[in-house]
Amino acid sequence: MLDSQPFADQAGAALPAPAPPGEHRETVADAGAPTVQHTTVDYDIHGVVGVRLVDPAPADTRFVEGFVGRLRQPLGRQPDIVVRFVDRISVRGIRWLHVGQSGFGRRGLYVRCEGARQGWTCMRLDRAGARCEILSEIGLGFVPHLDPLIRLAALRRGFIPLHASAFVFAGVGVIAAGWPHSGKSSSLLAFAERGASYVGDDLVLLSGDGRRVLGLPRPLELSGRQVDGLAVARERRGRARLVLDRAARQLERLSTRGLLLHPGDSPLRQVLGRASSALQRRLGAQLPLEALFGDRVALEARPRTVFLMMSHAADGACVEPGELSVSVERLAASVQRDIRGLEYLYLASRFAFPWLRNELIENAGPIAAGLLRTALADKEIRVVRHSYPPALTDLYDAMRPYCGAPDGPEMSR
Amino acid sequence: MTPEHARNVTVDLDLHGVVGIRLVDPSPADVTVVQRQLALVERPLARDPDVVVRFVDDLLISSLRFVEYQKSGFTDDGFYVLRSGKRAVRVRIAFEGIGDRCEIVCQRGVRAVPFLMSIVIMTALARGCVPLQASAFAYEGTGVLVTGWATGGKTEALLAFSARGARYIGDEWILLTGDGRRMYGLGGLIPLHDWHLRQLPAVRSRVAASRRMLFGGGRGIDYVHGVLSRGPLGRSSPVRMLGAALPALRRQLNVQMDPADVFGSGSGPFEGVPQKVFLMIGHDLRSYRVDATEPGDVADRMVAANLYAQQLLFDSYIAHRFAFPKLRSKLLERAESLQLGILQRALAGKDAFVVRHPHPCDLGKLFDTMAPHCAAPRASSVPDAVAGPPAAVREMNFGIELHV
């Protein structure tokens, strides 16, 4: 009655590669397989989320390290996310979702990924956030959905995974949260140049009691524009690149300003806009934290002020008070947005395995809102609106009065 | 654009009496755009419309705040969608009104009204009908509903039966009434790929010669890439880039055909009685097989597939929640449980099957697999009790033993 063809995965059959320095070996019992020695690499995100790689290739550790930063350290506990690398994952007999790209089978969902090379990964989502295991072909240099899985695991531990930058300025912990391109990182850079300490960028974890904000020690991802606005970053870049950079900015101006007096969707403008954003991506650069912050890398702070960042179609920057209940809902929507990619996969999982449910994925928004209500209760909440792309000095001038600078206005508690 | 064409003009569209759509002040081009999107002809509404699309020459937006830069934003007046596909647009959508009375304001001359189909089918959900990612046809008097994941083989089943005298009901979205007695087709054109046409010579002859040449070109590129990748340059970056671009190219290589051209004289009216339900799953094996399953199991799976197909609407709704946290849409937030409830009721008591097939598949073999199960509907299809958790199906799960 049933298909005779098995799904022949090779998990655990591969011999472990020799361990490079800094990695440790330990014996991990494989369910159903004979005990084999595995190389494991652990990452501990401030005791909140633990990630374990089993038998990774250098390309794989590079990818994860590029994501979580230099947090390699043996976990004294069960990891929340385990990525197990094997030589090959066979998808013979797979049931397709998107032909050639994804499907389902004996071990769960199979997704084809591309990093350094193309290959298959396999996972189940019913335990995503708790103890989630991903099986991956070795050396892809890419772990699918690592970002939302870390966010989900943090949420389960009572931490709100915010799309935000965090820093300490004049002794005050500051969180600047918002959607992509809302000026979070720009505000971090604006304050960095004036002596702020780094806590985190892009992904920061806010504890449910609101007392701790935690960040990842990974290099800053700067857009071409941001490089241009930062002396430190400019110095690290050759003259030729700078000229290209300027050209890119001119292109952007042409495509966004009314110079051409064309309606918003004229074909010429669209072409310019696409060319400009492609060039901007190309010109982006990674900047090591030390280059900008020196030894001012804190990774943890007690937050007092929370800025909700958004851009507007007007000049300059302005700051308005933010209402608690509105801000809670906005940040909760933002948390949900960040795990959307995983939600899509979860819908595929529900199609394939309707009985495997994940309460955490289904309720991420309300859970985050519940935590945020407490965490933000005693915070100064401000909405920052600014033109896009934001001028760093504008952002600094607008936000600084609320960041505990001595000459700022008196803040009501 | 002439100024006199579009003042105080309304054009009404009626989706099988379930959803009424009114276009206010559209240009003739706008009417064509919407009719193509929804595949509906003008029909005056004797009731209030559920969706109103208002067309203006210039949609002025003052003090816009972005949610996602140049994709979506809001003002005190409402929420704006600023990009549709790769195109910059300006469209104001009242998400909180979906299901009640949703107003969309857009500039004349848009190439497509963003989210229109999604909004219409969510409105249908509020009216007690459930939209399904499916195709449907009537074969020898039996209404057949074919569902599945996005590329699961729904269109293939439709094509297989089209060549053997079936009557077209719909492709892409099918609207199922809550009592399970009617199904309506939604959306117009059938996307056909090269490998479909090669199996359908009668349809192929109706495809314009220029498109046929394009298909030929696509096969040529495939062939060249095949030769190059086996040669000494196979690992070089241009050849690899070509290889990476091929799947996207192949997806582009399709032709949108009018159902009348595919089914000949056998098309319309676009409705029928659903009697047999098939869930299509492509697999990486050569075999074709069909297994009986519980309709409740099909309902469970298809709710997930429906939500997946609607993901862009829900993405925008999350942006809308960021913009207006207090303007919630009860309908969108309850969409999943609503769909599941209606779908389980609508499908209860019907004969349901899972079809597994290779991809690409042989349309003749697909027909041979499915046809024996399309005949002789049950004497009465009065719904029994809603099917409980299909334990037998779980264990089987189409031959997959999941280690828990």
Side-chain angles (χ1 to χ4, degrees), chain A residues 1 3 94-98 106 124 179 265 311-313 329-330 333 336 340 344 350-352 388, chain B residues 64 66 69 88 149 151 282-284 289 291 301 311 315 321-323 328 336 356 398 401-403:
Chain A
M1 181 70 183
D3 280 344
I94 189 174
R95 277 74 171 143
W96 294 119
L97 289 163
H98 296 284
R106 189 168 59 95
R124 281 176 48 176
W179 284 48
D265 62 344
S311 56
H312 59 189
E329 292 301 329
R330 283 187 164 163
Q336 208 178 345
R340 279 298 275 170
Y344 297 153
R350 296 241 328 255
F351 176 80
Y388 190 88
Chain B
L64 176 72
F66 290 105
Y69 182 64
W149 193 254
T151 54
H283 63 184
D284 184 38
R289 60 178 293 167
D291 295 292
R301 293 177 198 266
Q311 53 182 257
D315 282 355
R321 269 180 41 206
F322 182 88
R328 307 287 281 253
E336 182 182 334
R356 282 182 274 160
F398 319 145
E401 296 292 332
L402 195 75
H403 298 299

Side-chain angles (χ1 to χ4, degrees), chain B residues 79 92-98 101-104 320:
Chain B
F79 182 82
R92 190 169 73 217
I93 301 180
F95 274 82
E96 71 280 7
I98 296 177
R101 184 191 159 101
C102 175
E103 183 155 313
I104 303 172
H320 181 273

Side-chain angles (χ1 to χ4, degrees), chain B residues 280-326:
Chain B
M280 307 297 289
I281 295 182
H283 63 184
D284 184 38
L285 297 170
R286 295 232 176 122
S287 57
Y288 295 76
R289 60 178 293 167
V290 58
D291 295 292
T293 186
E294 296 287 338
D297 183 62
V298 177
D300 278 347
R301 293 177 198 266
M302 285 316 296
V303 166
N306 280 353
L307 292 172
Y308 186 89
Q310 300 256 46
Q311 53 182 257
L312 291 178
L313 180 77
F314 284 90
D315 282 355
S316 264
Y317 178 61
I318 292 177
H320 181 273
R321 269 180 41 206
F322 182 88
F324 299 106
K326 288 178 179 162

Side-chain angles (χ1 to χ4, degrees), chain A residues 20 22-25 38-43 51-57 61 64-65 72-75 81 83:
Chain A
E23 289 173 6
H24 62 283
R25 282 162 165 275
H38 290 285
T39 306
T40 67
V41 181
D42 286 357
Y43 298 90
V51 180
R52 170 168 298 165
L53 311 184
V54 182
D55 300 332
T61 45
V64 175
E65 229 141 282
R72 190 187 282 202
Q73 172 180 335
L75 288 167
I81 299 162
V83 191

Side-chain angles (χ1 to χ4, degrees), chain B residues 26-102:
Chain B
S27 71
D30 296 328
V31 176
T32 312
V33 159
V34 172
Q35 286 184 334
R36 201 178 52 220
Q37 265 184 287
L38 300 177
L40 290 177
V41 290
E42 183 173 359
R43 189 189 297 168
L45 289 171
R47 57 186 197 280
D48 281 342
D50 306 286
V51 179
V52 176
V53 188
R54 199 176 291 282
F55 291 89
V56 296
D57 278 328
D58 211 354
L59 185 55
L60 295 173
I61 306 178
S62 61
S63 65
L64 176 72
R65 282 147 274 171
F66 290 105
V67 177
E68 195 151 5
Y69 182 64
Q70 291 194 339
K71 283 186 187 159
S72 58
F74 61 105
T75 69
D76 295 341
D77 295 335
F79 182 82
Y80 290 85
V81 172
L82 303 171
R83 180 166 308 167
S84 172
K86 284 183 174 171
R87 203 160 278 281
V89 294
R90 285 181 165 197
V91 180
R92 190 169 73 217
I93 301 180
F95 274 82
E96 71 280 7
I98 296 177
D100 186 18
R101 184 191 159 101
C102 175

Side-chain angles (χ1 to χ4, degrees), chain A residues 11 92 332 400:
Chain A
R92 201 159 55 89
R400 183 194 156 143

Side-chain angles (χ1 to χ4, degrees), chain A residues 57-394:
Chain A
D60 302 316
T61 45
R62 257 199 311 279
F63 172 81
V64 175
E65 229 141 282
F67 190 81
V68 303
R70 295 156 305 188
L71 291 174
R72 190 187 282 202
Q73 172 180 335
L75 288 167
R77 60 182 195 279
Q78 287 290 317
D80 302 274
I81 299 162
V82 179
V83 191
R84 205 175 283 281
F85 294 91
V86 296
D87 285 343
R88 209 174 89 75
I89 295 175
S90 161
V91 295
R92 201 159 55 89
I94 189 174
R95 277 74 171 143
W96 294 119
L97 289 163
H98 296 284
V99 178
Q101 297 303 311
S102 57
F104 56 105
R106 189 168 59 95
R107 286 172 175 270
L109 293 170
Y110 290 74
V111 180
R112 195 165 171 77
C113 293
E114 181 167 13
R117 67 178 186 88
Q118 283 204 352
W120 286 96
T121 60
C122 173
M123 66 175 102
R124 281 176 48 176
L125 289 184
D126 51 325
R127 275 177 299 191
R131 197 190 143 94
C132 173
E133 267 209 36
I134 302 175
L135 193 67
S136 170
E137 288 189 351
I138 195 164
L140 301 186
F142 182 82
V143 178
H145 301 289
L146 184 61
D147 174 281
L149 285 172
I150 289 176
R151 289 176 192 268
L152 216 52
L155 198 58
R156 181 166 163 273
R157 304 252 177 227
F159 282 73
I160 306 132
L162 289 175
H163 206 108
S165 295
F167 54 89
V168 179
F169 184 73
V172 171
V174 178
I175 296 174
W179 284 48
H181 306 292
S182 65
K184 309 172 303 288
S185 301
S186 292
S187 64
L188 176 72
L189 300 180
F191 281 86
E193 283 206 312
R194 291 160 180 91
S197 303
Y198 173 92
V199 175
D201 188 28
D202 198 39
L203 166 58
V204 303
L205 306 178
L206 174 62
S207 64
D209 58 11
R211 292 195 184 163
R212 299 166 72 203
V213 59
L214 309 167
L216 300 170
R218 60 186 179 194
L220 295 167
E221 299 277 350
L222 302 186
S223 67
R225 201 180 308 111
Q226 287 168 333
V227 172
D228 215 35
L230 273 183
V232 193
R234 268 200 313 270
E235 283 160 21
R236 297 172 64 92
R237 147 169 295 193
R239 188 173 290 266
R241 285 296 285 256
L242 268 180
V243 173
L244 256 182
D245 236 0
R246 300 256 156 75
R249 275 193 311 160
Q250 290 301 331
L251 195 61
E252 184 180 39
R253 204 162 295 157
L254 275 177
S255 65
T256 55
R257 297 282 153 84
L259 179 82
L260 301 168
L261 295 176
H262 269 295
D265 62 344
S266 84
L268 179 58
R269 237 203 211 184
Q270 293 208 2
V271 170
L272 282 176
R274 253 176 263 163
S276 136
S277 51
L279 194 54
Q280 285 288 348
R281 275 197 301 276
R282 267 283 149 86
L283 287 172
Q286 276 202 348
L287 191 66
L289 287 179
E290 290 72 22
L292 194 55
F293 292 95
D295 57 359
R296 305 191 313 274
V297 176
L299 298 185
E300 171 161 2
R302 183 174 179 139
R304 197 195 79 184
T305 305
V306 176
F307 290 106
L308 198 58
M309 313 291 296
M310 59 180 83
S311 56
H312 59 189
D315 288 332
C318 62
V319 178
E320 301 162 345
E323 200 191 311
L324 176 66
S325 65
V326 171
S327 306
V328 164
E329 292 301 329
R330 283 187 164 163
L331 289 175
S334 184
V335 168
Q336 208 178 345
R337 181 206 169 274
D338 293 332
I339 62 160
R340 279 298 275 170
L342 194 65
E343 271 185 17
Y344 297 153
L345 193 69
Y346 178 59
L347 289 173
S349 161
R350 296 241 328 255
F351 176 80
F353 314 109
W355 63 94
L356 294 184
R357 301 293 286 254
N358 186 315
E359 298 283 318
L360 203 55
I361 296 180
E362 290 184 24
N363 299 304
I367 294 172
L371 292 171
L372 281 161
R373 240 164 253 134
T374 314
L376 296 186
D378 62 342
K379 304 287 182 284
E380 298 280 353
I381 305 174
R382 303 278 150 182
V383 177
V384 180
R385 292 202 266 144
H386 59 82
S387 58
Y388 190 88
L392 298 190
T393 44
D394 283 359

